Amino acid sequence: MAAMTTRRILTGDRTTGPLHIGHYAGSLQNRVALQRDYETYVLLADVQALTDNAANPEKVRANVLEVALDYLAVGIDPRVATIVIQSLVPEIAELTVYYLNLVTVARLGRNPTVKEEIRQKGLEGHLPAGFFVYPVSQAADITAFGAHLVPVGADQLPMIEQTVEIVRSFNRTYSPVLVEPEALIPRAARLPGTDGQGKMGKSLGNAIYLSDPAEVVRRKVMGMYTDPDHLRASDPGRVEGNPVFSYLDAFDPDREGLAALKEHYRRGGLGDVTVKRRLAGVLEDLLGPIRARRAEFATDPHEGMAMLRAGTERGRALAPRTLDDVRRAM
């Protein structure tokens, strides 16, 4: 354990809007659980958020504090984990420039995560160069803090793989000064959107947010996509691929009761409304306390920003050292 505590984690989110339960299942739970076992840095990625929001910097700026409030609400402790604002660490930008020379355009174009995001955001005909190369910026984020571990959802694994390639290329070309990171993948599967189409996403209008009021959560749950062939309660229903059951798998603590519910749904005689009501209750048990903590932290935004400035100053102690090592190696 003594050796483990010296290992460092870097994780974070783009500041384009509040976080949703997909973030919670995919990475936030993991971060909270690990923050006391590792030296943890959490990045508010406002520069990366500009890659497809360059015309709306006000949105990016406003959401720095909104995302930070979500962090605090779920249990990230700023006395233990260091929360850093990306744009206030200029060393990351310089590292990005150096790393861009170590990766080809063809390799960037093969990144499946970026390809999928380009499709989802409709950027095919007018793709910003910054968005196309943001995996290189992520490599700079990770290496600037010398992170050994990066907790990510399974859909983000290609980003870590690309970072490893860049680190190996740099260490082979110049000198072995960069830490090669590993991905930490949560047990929970990626949550689909409430519409049943792909993953849950801020820009897709199919998310349940950590800050959503109880009545909004209930309305979103009751409107969720289920099994299109389950037309009557008496019909046998399909659990696999059914978003309502995917969410119950992720959040329902009563595993025995959930197993019985699935069996009932499969054989028929159980309506979608009953299953959705159970999910609404499970989510309220989860989100109610998070919502209350968030409201408490939001009462003093000046204190919140002061906390972020202090965290950023602590985080900035690492990045210049990495940049010095990189410059000397080159």
Side-chain angles (χ1 to χ4, degrees), residues 31-271:
R31 298 178 200 178
V32 173
L34 296 170
Q35 64 182 335
R36 285 176 171 80
D37 294 330
Y38 297 86
E39 185 181 343
T40 299
Y41 292 83
V42 187
L43 197 65
L44 293 159
D46 54 341
V47 173
Q48 188 181 318
L50 288 169
T51 58
D52 57 336
N53 289 278
N56 194 3
E58 297 86 357
K59 169 186 173 183
V60 174
R61 178 181 175 86
N63 279 298
V64 167
L65 185 56
E66 290 301 308
V67 174
L69 288 173
D70 284 335
Y71 288 163
L72 299 175
V74 301
I76 291 176
D77 186 345
R79 297 166 299 182
V80 177
T82 302
I83 304 175
V84 180
I85 300 174
Q86 185 184 42
S87 61
L88 299 182
V89 186
E91 292 83 2
I92 292 172
E94 186 171 340
L95 290 171
T96 300
V97 172
Y98 298 146
Y99 297 167
L100 280 169
N101 297 312
L102 300 174
V103 62
T104 66
V105 171
R107 175 63 183 91
L108 288 168
R110 291 195 301 271
N111 188 308
T113 301
V114 176
K115 288 166 68 173
E116 176 62 13
E117 290 179 349
I118 289 170
R119 185 194 65 77
Q120 287 181 346
K121 295 174 185 293
L123 297 175
E124 294 94 335
H126 48 94
L127 177 63
F131 191 89
F132 184 64
V133 304
Y134 88 75
V136 183
S137 174
Q138 285 195 336
D141 296 334
I142 294 165
T143 57
F145 292 90
H148 304 90
L149 300 165
V150 186
V152 292
D155 61 317
Q156 292 294 310
L157 185 58
M159 313 302 281
I160 309 306
E161 292 171 347
Q162 190 141 38
T163 295
V164 169
E165 290 176 15
I166 290 170
V167 167
R168 288 177 178 174
S169 178
F170 185 95
N171 288 345
R172 183 174 60 250
T173 303
Y174 302 112
S175 182
V177 299
L178 296 178
V179 175
E180 186 174 310
E182 301 173 41
L184 278 177
I185 307 296
R187 292 189 185 93
R190 184 176 73 174
L191 285 182
T194 55
D195 56 0
Q197 302 299 311
K199 71 173 183 177
M200 186 179 295
K202 296 179 191 177
S203 61
L204 301 176
N206 63 356
I208 295 173
Y209 294 96
L210 300 177
S211 53
D212 277 344
E215 61 273 16
V216 172
V217 173
R218 184 181 183 282
R219 186 174 69 247
K220 289 181 178 180
V221 168
M222 298 310 291
M224 281 180 66
Y225 174 94
T226 57
D227 175 4
D229 296 323
H230 189 243
L231 302 178
R232 292 172 296 275
S234 58
D235 294 337
R238 184 167 51 87
V239 169
E240 293 73 19
N242 187 324
V244 177
F245 282 100
S246 296
Y247 289 20
L248 286 169
D249 281 335
F251 301 116
D252 193 334
D254 181 5
R255 311 314 288 179
E256 186 175 334
L258 178 56
L261 190 79
K262 289 180 177 179
E263 178 58 31
H264 192 176
Y265 192 80
R266 287 188 178 105
R267 72 173 182 264
L270 183 62

